[in-house]
Amino acid sequence: MNNMRSFLLLVLSLLTGCEATSELRGCAGGWIEFMCNYSTTTGQNQSFVIESPHLIIEDRSKGWDGRFHLYNDTKNEKVKLLVIKQLSVKDAWKYSCKPDTRQTYSVKVNLTDGKNGCQEPFNQTAYRTAKTTIICDYPENKDKSRLKFFCKDTNGICEEILSTESSKSLNKRFTLTSTKRGFNISISNVSSDDAGVYWCGLKSNDKYHRAARKKIQLEVQGITNFTRSSTVGQNISYWCKYQTNNPPTDKFICKGEDPSICQHLVSTTQPNMDNGKFSMKDDTGKRNITITVRNLTTDDTGTYWCGAETTDKGRSNLFFNRLLMTVGPPSTPGPSHGGFDPVIIVTVCVPVLLQLLVLILVLIGKRFSDLNNTRNEAKAQHIREVQNSSDSVGGEGLIPRPNSSASEYTTVEYR
């Protein structure tokens, strides 16, 4: 692609025999980047100069010369790129690339008043492991058809992450979504490495040059997290602590994974701070907000944020706490830990119990039978002993009556 665009510029210059002029519109405080094409294959080794009516920028290849930086394109050895940052009205001139003076760039600088598509810098706070969305708007209708890009500043060079030039809308954790006014960039699973300076910008009509339109300073912070598990039909209450030297006046509760675009549910600006489902109480003395959610349903599962509106248009809202809430169905009697059906358990247990009962009865019966036999044998032995004693003396003996319940004896006379 870079070789093709370099070739087209060279052909255009040769065919016309005059300057190949591209117009760049930058914003005050922003930057522009345009390309200088080498006319020879040994261009990397030759001296290269960018010239305007009031300055000359020589190729130093290393570092910045004030606000100017001329460096080699790593994708095309025949191309050098010039970046002019911190643009001001005095930078609105024509610039020529030497030794090929037919490459001329007309630079216009607009003020950041919003009327020309230039916007004030924006400070956005994101939270670790959460999601954040950066909004890139282009108010001017004439910019709708132009290619737009999103990049991150790295050592003064803005490395492109995504653009509308490509059909690719995903780059690792970055996602581009087109809108009516421009596009949004979402960053998922935010980490500290994502902090830094980002730019929304436009490319020239020939697609070779870039101009920044909006600066975004992204700050990444941690946040207090807590979780709650509840069941359908319950009411729950929780509170959020805000610790700040200047307590905010307008607080709110919102729902969504991304606090920068989450849906507001209730705020301190509403009458009674109650919408029927959600309510909140603001204790300014203790600096905490108590939130109550009524009649929970499974749809209430999600991520909730406690935050405060900012009065600074150049800064995102402030957030204090993140709640991860899960709502499940009411608990009902379920299967045993083993996972068996109760009917099966009863079916299996009844025969076993019957067998145990029968065995116990058999053992008891046997015990009684053995006891009776022992008693009968003792009685018989006693009778034999009495008889033997009588025979030995030839007198009378006492024979107990076996069926008598009392201690009665019968006198037997032996002759």
Side-chain angles (χ1 to χ4, degrees):
M1 178 63 71
N2 286 324
N3 291 331
M4 179 60 71
R5 74 183 187 182
S6 302
F7 175 74
L8 290 175
L9 277 177
L10 179 60
V11 170
L12 179 62
S13 300
L14 293 175
L15 289 176
T16 58
C18 59
E19 294 180 347
T21 303
S22 296
E23 180 180 298
L24 294 175
R25 292 188 297 116
C27 298
W31 54 266
I32 57 172
E33 177 188 88
F34 53 84
M35 181 187 72
C36 289
N37 183 51
Y38 290 112
S39 58
T40 65
T41 57
T42 59
Q44 286 280 21
N45 299 320
Q46 69 183 32
S47 174
F48 211 87
V49 175
I50 303 294
E51 185 176 19
S52 74
H54 66 295
L55 60 85
I56 295 178
I57 308 164
E58 296 183 1
D59 180 10
R60 288 177 170 79
S61 299
K62 295 182 181 180
W64 287 82
D65 181 10
R67 298 180 297 110
F68 302 88
H69 185 39
L70 184 63
Y71 66 99
N72 297 323
D73 187 349
T74 57
K75 298 179 181 179
N76 187 345
E77 61 180 10
K78 295 183 180 181
V79 170
K80 280 188 178 290
L81 299 171
L82 172 69
V83 177
I84 307 176
K85 65 177 184 178
Q86 298 174 10
L87 287 174
S88 63
V89 177
K90 68 180 182 180
D91 296 317
W93 295 93
K94 283 188 177 182
Y95 295 80
S96 298
C97 298
K98 288 189 175 184
D100 188 356
T101 57
R102 288 172 297 183
Q103 299 180 67
T104 302
Y105 302 94
S106 177
V107 175
K108 293 184 178 181
V109 179
N110 298 320
L111 299 176
T112 55
D113 54 7
K115 297 180 180 180
N116 299 300
C118 297
Q119 302 177 48
E120 294 288 344
F122 189 76
N123 295 307
Q124 183 159 327
T125 301
Y127 301 91
R128 280 189 287 272
T129 73
K131 187 177 181 180
T132 194
T133 297
I134 296 174
I135 298 175
C136 293
D137 284 345
Y138 301 85
E140 287 186 298
N141 291 329
K142 58 185 176 182
D143 290 334
K144 286 186 176 181
S145 60
R146 297 182 63 178
L147 295 176
K148 305 167 183 69
F149 67 89
F150 179 77
C151 63
K152 183 178 183 180
D153 193 305
T154 304
N155 298 323
I157 306 302
C158 208
E159 297 180 357
E160 188 171 298
I161 298 175
L162 287 168
S163 76
T164 58
E165 182 178 4
S166 172
S167 59
K168 182 180 178 181
S169 61
L170 179 65
N171 185 354
K172 297 180 180 179
R173 294 177 296 105
F174 293 78
T175 303
L176 184 150
T177 304
S178 297
T179 64
K180 292 181 179 180
R181 292 171 60 89
F183 64 86
N184 294 342
I185 294 290
S186 297
I187 310 175
S188 60
N189 193 23
V190 172
S191 69
S192 299
D193 294 337
D194 296 318
V197 176
Y198 295 84
W199 293 88
C200 306
L202 291 172
K203 294 187 177 182
S204 60
N205 292 329
D206 55 17
K207 305 178 185 180
Y208 305 146
H209 321 295
R210 303 188 300 171
R213 287 302 179 89
K214 180 181 179 180
K215 176 184 178 181
I216 302 97
Q217 177 73 55
L218 185 65
E219 180 182 356
V220 178
Q221 295 181 355
I223 194 168
T224 301
N225 298 290
F226 53 99
T227 61
R228 290 289 297 271
S229 296
S230 303
T231 57
V232 171
Q234 286 186 333
N235 298 339
I236 69 164
S237 294
Y238 65 97
W239 57 272
C240 301
K241 186 78 173 177
Y242 55 92
Q243 295 179 347
T244 176
N245 295 329
N246 298 311
T249 56
D250 298 335
K251 298 94 172 177
F252 62 87
I253 304 301
C254 69
K255 181 181 180 182
E257 294 182 8
D258 186 346
S260 60
I261 56 173
C262 65
Q263 174 189 1
H264 288 205
L265 301 172
V266 65
S267 71
T268 55
T269 59
Q270 292 179 249
N272 301 322
M273 295 180 285
D274 193 333
N275 66 3
K277 176 78 172 180
F278 296 86
S279 63
M280 60 188 298
K281 295 180 180 179
D282 184 13
D283 189 336
T284 56
K286 295 182 179 179
R287 294 187 178 182
N288 64 45
I289 306 169
T290 302
I291 302 98
T292 300
V293 190
R294 305 180 186 90
N295 192 22
L296 289 171
T297 68
T298 53
D299 291 337
D300 295 320
T301 296
T303 304
Y304 295 82
W305 300 82
C306 301
E309 296 280 357
T310 178
T311 57
D312 185 354
K313 295 183 179 180
R315 183 174 295 277
S316 62
N317 289 331
L318 176 66
F319 291 89
F320 322 118
N321 299 89
R322 174 171 58 177
L323 168 67
L324 305 176
M325 183 163 67
T326 303
V327 181
S331 58
T332 56
S336 66
H337 294 294
F340 298 105
D341 194 316
V343 176
I344 297 176
I345 295 175
V346 172
T347 305
V348 172
C349 288
V350 168
V352 174
L353 292 174
L354 288 175
Q355 291 178 6
L356 290 174
L357 182 60
V358 170
L359 179 60
I360 291 171
L361 292 175
V362 170
L363 292 175
I364 293 174
K366 188 175 184 303
R367 181 65 179 265
F368 276 110
S369 176
D370 293 343
L371 185 59
N372 288 333
N373 291 336
T374 303
R375 288 177 178 176
N376 291 335
E377 289 178 1
K379 290 178 181 179
Q381 179 66 26
H382 183 69
I383 293 172
R384 285 193 294 269
E385 290 176 355
V386 172
Q387 289 176 346
N388 292 336
S389 176
S390 300
D391 289 342
S392 61
V393 297
E396 295 179 349
L398 297 177
I399 301 176
R401 293 180 181 178
N403 296 326
S404 175
S405 59
S407 298
E408 297 180 1
Y409 292 87
T410 302
T411 303
V412 179
E413 182 179 354
Y414 295 95
R415 296 181 182 273

